[in-house]
Amino acid sequence: MAMAYLAWRLARRSCPSSLQVTSFPVVQLHMNRTAMRASQKDFENSMNQVKLLKKDPGNEVKLKLYALYKQATEGPCNMPKPGVFDLINKAKWDAWNALGSLPKEAARQNYVDLVSSLSPSLESSSQVEPGTDRKSTGFETLVVTSEDGITKIMFNRPKKKNAINTEMYHEIMRALKAASKDDSIITVLTGNGDYYSSGNDLTNFTDIPPGGVEEKAKNNAVLLREFVGCFIDFPKPLIAVVNGPAVGISVTLLGLFDAVYASDRATFHTPFSHLGQSPEGCSSYTFPKIMSPAKALRISKEVIRKREREKLHAVNAEECNVLQGRWLSDECTNAVVNFLSRKSKL
Ligand SMILES: CCCC/C=C/CC(=O)SCCNC(=O)CCNC(=O)[C@H](O)C(C)(C)COP(=O)(O)OP(=O)(O)OC[C@H]1O[C@@H](n2cnc3c(N)ncnc32)[C@H](O)[C@@H]1OP(=O)(O)O
């Protein structure tokens, strides 16, 4: 696909030609137990943070925290369904049961992310006066700043071409959730260094859980669906400043932005035939239909997006289901093994 042409087309919201179809690999290597112990530690820290919250987060959030806590510690809902007049326990049962078969690992991470979005440090930062420069700490893979009504989320793994690893997926979701509630008017995503982003970090598929590659593919499909869902539901004008080459999901998500500005170093690459991947980021829906002009105002975005939100979530779910299967194919596994071992041949 001609990169400059796609940059122009994305910016002009017209639609490029067709998408190539490939799938994604899952490689059988050693499980990273340290990473799992760290997330358990984060989980325990978050449970303590909940007790320090300065204000009541409200029943909806408390029910979500309860449900994620139970899912993370006990797995799928195993309580008998309370009677209709047992309102409190029925509400708790409904919240927990709604998580279905969400893996404990994912529930634990979601619990940590939710508490982080409520944590006192973020709460105090949302009280910062407009117009002051604020660099949000608490992110390992991003630099988040907010000034003059603009919250900027900058991918900050320049040594890895801003490849998006699991931590970065969660941090981008957390930053978007905070940006949706802060005092900014618009949110801008861009990259630090010479790349905007080289897309999914291909080592994401190397820490195989006890359930094997099928569980990994399922966990990644759950992560991808939640990640893309954050972009579908983001309420404010979302702007991409593509400062350099963009690859994979960092390109396919652009169809959910309200405006895309491309520097003269920007290129847009979707290596689907090379990696064997089916579309993600709702691109199977947005790319073929992007014709309307970029909408800068929040209200017009809501008018347009609310008609499509349900459809976009359905497209996201279907893309994730297809990807979950494709990630198990030999062609994808070979493609990523070749990438990850390429330098060892030098
Ligand atoms: C769970 C949700 C899944 C959602 C699925 C999404 C679909 C996708 O996003 S598919 C697209 C995946 N991305 C790629 O295939 C790009 C892979 N990278 C490359 O082809 C090259 O690195 C690139 C052309 C981007 C840059 O090439 P160079 O300029 O030659 O730099 P290097 O290759 O030396 O890269 C420097 C450094 O970064 C590491 N790197 C870069 N991109 C990735 C990546 N996507 N995943 C993992 N690591 C990446 C690269 O390995 C180098 O690391 P070191 O060797 O340690 O220096």
Side-chain angles (χ1 to χ4, degrees):
M1 189 178 288
M3 308 308 175
Y5 175 64
L6 182 64
W8 175 77
R9 299 287 295 266
L10 273 178
R12 291 284 308 272
R13 317 289 292 173
S14 54
C15 76
S17 50
S18 61
L19 283 174
Q20 294 150 317
V21 180
T22 59
S23 66
F24 223 86
V26 185
V27 179
Q28 180 80 28
L29 291 179
H30 298 293
M31 181 179 70
N32 181 349
R33 290 190 184 285
T34 307
M36 290 189 67
R37 268 201 303 276
S39 63
Q40 181 60 35
K41 181 167 171 292
D42 290 344
F43 184 58
E44 287 156 12
N45 289 342
S46 294
M47 284 191 275
N48 294 326
Q49 265 191 320
V50 170
K51 299 165 192 161
L52 302 175
L53 287 178
K54 290 177 184 149
K55 63 181 180 182
D56 184 330
N59 289 337
E60 188 181 340
V61 171
K62 285 191 285 192
L63 279 172
K64 191 158 187 181
L65 285 170
Y66 164 82
L68 287 169
Y69 171 81
K70 296 293 277 184
Q71 192 84 5
T73 52
E74 299 179 33
C77 182
N78 55 20
M79 275 170 33
K81 187 172 183 179
V84 287
F85 298 108
D86 185 356
L87 297 178
I88 292 177
N89 285 323
K90 175 72 169 52
K92 291 163 77 173
W93 187 91
D94 286 341
W96 185 8
N97 190 55
L99 296 180
S101 59
L102 182 71
K104 285 187 175 181
E105 181 188 32
R108 195 166 53 215
Q109 186 64 57
N110 292 352
Y111 182 94
V112 170
D113 289 344
L114 179 53
V115 173
S116 300
S117 68
L118 301 168
S119 69
S121 58
L122 279 183
E123 189 183 30
S124 56
S125 64
S126 65
Q127 291 153 4
V128 170
E129 286 305 307
T132 55
D133 188 349
R134 175 187 84 229
K135 179 174 175 179
S136 292
T137 55
F139 295 100
E140 295 298 323
T141 64
L142 306 174
V143 173
V144 180
T145 55
S146 197
E147 60 177 327
D148 300 331
I150 299 174
T151 289
K152 184 177 81 172
I153 300 170
M154 184 162 69
F155 308 142
N156 193 33
R157 295 186 74 214
K159 288 182 181 157
K160 295 292 184 180
K161 306 298 182 183
N162 294 328
I164 307 174
N165 62 11
T166 303
E167 182 182 30
M168 194 160 161
Y169 281 113
H170 286 289
E171 291 201 339
I172 293 169
M173 287 193 276
R174 181 152 62 89
L176 283 175
K177 285 171 189 163
S180 68
K181 297 177 199 151
D182 71 14
D183 49 21
S184 66
I185 309 294
I186 63 168
T187 297
V188 174
L189 265 67
T190 192
N192 183 22
D194 62 345
Y195 264 67
Y196 173 69
S197 169
S198 71
N200 186 48
D201 188 312
L202 297 175
T203 61
N204 280 342
F205 297 86
T206 56
D207 55 338
I208 306 301
V213 289
E214 288 75 13
E215 182 182 339
K216 188 66 189 174
K218 186 176 177 189
N219 292 353
N220 281 316
V222 168
L223 172 62
L224 175 62
R225 183 170 178 181
E226 184 185 1
F227 180 69
V228 176
C230 286
F231 287 83
I232 295 171
D233 292 333
F234 190 73
K236 298 179 181 179
L238 189 62
I239 316 296
V241 174
V242 184
N243 55 294
V247 184
I249 190 165
S250 70
V251 177
T252 53
L253 272 176
L254 293 175
L256 296 173
F257 282 67
D258 298 283
V260 176
Y261 293 90
S263 80
D264 56 7
R265 293 188 57 259
T267 58
F268 298 81
H269 182 42
T270 50
F272 293 141
S273 52
H274 174 66
L275 282 176
Q277 164 145 2
S278 51
E280 83 286 314
C282 289
S283 58
S284 63
Y285 176 78
T286 57
F287 278 21
K289 75 176 287 286
I290 287 175
M291 301 299 284
S292 61
K295 300 288 177 190
L297 300 181
R298 179 168 180 167
I299 294 171
S300 60
K301 168 167 183 169
E302 179 50 28
V303 168
I304 293 170
R305 185 54 57 89
K306 74 179 176 186
R307 280 200 304 273
E308 298 180 315
R309 186 170 285 117
E310 191 176 333
K311 169 78 174 178
L312 285 169
H313 278 297
V315 168
N316 184 25
E318 174 58 22
E319 287 177 344
C320 293
N321 287 337
V322 173
L323 262 173
Q324 186 173 333
R326 298 292 296 150
W327 283 331
L328 301 174
S329 74
D330 292 341
E331 67 178 8
C332 302
T333 303
N334 297 336
V336 165
V337 167
N338 291 338
F339 172 76
L340 296 178
S341 56
R342 77 201 180 292
K343 291 197 172 177
S344 56
K345 295 173 198 152
L346 298 179

